[in-house]
Amino acid sequence: MTQTWHPTILQRDCEALTVPHGERVALTAGGEVEITQRLGSSVTVRTQMGTLLRIDGADADALGLDPAPETAVRVTRQTGTFDFADVTAALRGVYDPEIPINIVDLGLVYRCDEVALDDGRRCIEIDMTMTAPGCGMGDVIARDAEAAVQRVAGVDEVDVTIVWDPPWNRARISEAARLELGLF
């Protein structure tokens, strides 16, 4: 089966990360990539050689796209009353660049707790994992999760820890995500 190539021409130079290794690469204006997914605050593209790359949403304009709203520069933090449901919603906006499922439904978030700090501020502690121990995208996905939760009203600190016990397995994927991925 031959796959059709639908290239997007890069409008300016930008950086990308290889998926799944997380190595930085420079993309040059005029180069061609194909957009495979745009979810959360990043865009996943494929080169003509088949290499997957993650481009930060702040660089979406290099692909001729509007920057992701999650990456917009914020002069002040979001205001309002804290609601823990907003933390979960923020985490549902973070995606693995290879799999079009958010990290909550993918089963990567093992623990997410609100912790009151001694000075009255609020910290959200998150333990999460990756689908494989050698995944080079772990730090990137963890930073995306931290940034997403940091934007929630009433959150003062976010502490994300990558854990490997218990190891992730497909049983952790939500039923809705399994259905979407055709894993039934």
Side-chain angles (χ1 to χ4, degrees):
M1 181 163 116
T2 305
Q3 194 173 39
T4 305
W5 173 248
H6 301 288
T8 295
I9 297 173
L10 288 160
Q11 298 180 5
R12 66 171 177 82
D13 295 350
C14 71
E15 280 195 355
L17 297 174
T18 61
V19 176
H21 303 294
E23 298 168 351
R24 290 193 183 284
V25 295
L27 299 177
T28 308
E32 293 183 347
V33 295
E34 181 177 39
I35 298 171
T36 62
Q37 77 178 25
R38 182 182 189 189
L39 299 167
S41 62
S42 67
V43 181
T44 303
V45 299
R46 178 182 294 118
T47 68
Q48 197 160 11
M49 298 298 292
T51 304
L52 286 179
L53 303 170
R54 178 196 182 274
I55 297 175
D56 190 87
D59 288 322
D61 64 309
L63 299 165
L65 302 171
D66 289 331
E70 294 88 350
T71 63
V73 176
R74 296 176 189 272
V75 177
T76 59
R77 287 189 59 247
Q78 187 177 0
T79 59
T81 305
F82 175 77
D83 184 343
F84 195 81
D86 293 339
V87 172
T88 303
L91 290 171
R92 286 187 190 281
V94 178
Y95 290 81
D96 182 300
E98 291 180 284
I99 306 168
I101 303 294
N102 69 69
I103 63 172
V104 173
D105 288 330
L106 194 52
L108 299 182
V109 178
Y110 284 2
R111 180 181 72 89
C112 182
D113 293 325
E114 174 186 356
V115 177
L117 301 174
D118 290 339
D119 61 3
R121 297 178 319 126
R122 177 179 289 114
C123 178
I124 303 298
E125 292 181 351
I126 301 166
D127 288 346
M128 61 182 294
T129 194
M130 296 296 115
T131 57
C135 178
M137 298 306 294
D139 290 339
V140 174
I141 296 171
R143 280 193 306 270
D144 286 352
E146 179 180 351
V149 173
Q150 188 65 57
R151 287 191 294 273
V152 172
V155 172
D156 298 300
E157 287 185 24
V158 181
D159 181 20
V160 178
T161 304
I162 297 177
V163 298
W164 300 108
D165 188 31
W168 179 88
N169 63 63
R170 291 171 87 178
R172 296 196 58 86
I173 301 173
S174 73
E175 188 173 320
R178 276 189 246 152
L179 184 62
E180 188 174 332
L181 292 170
L183 295 177
F184 280 108

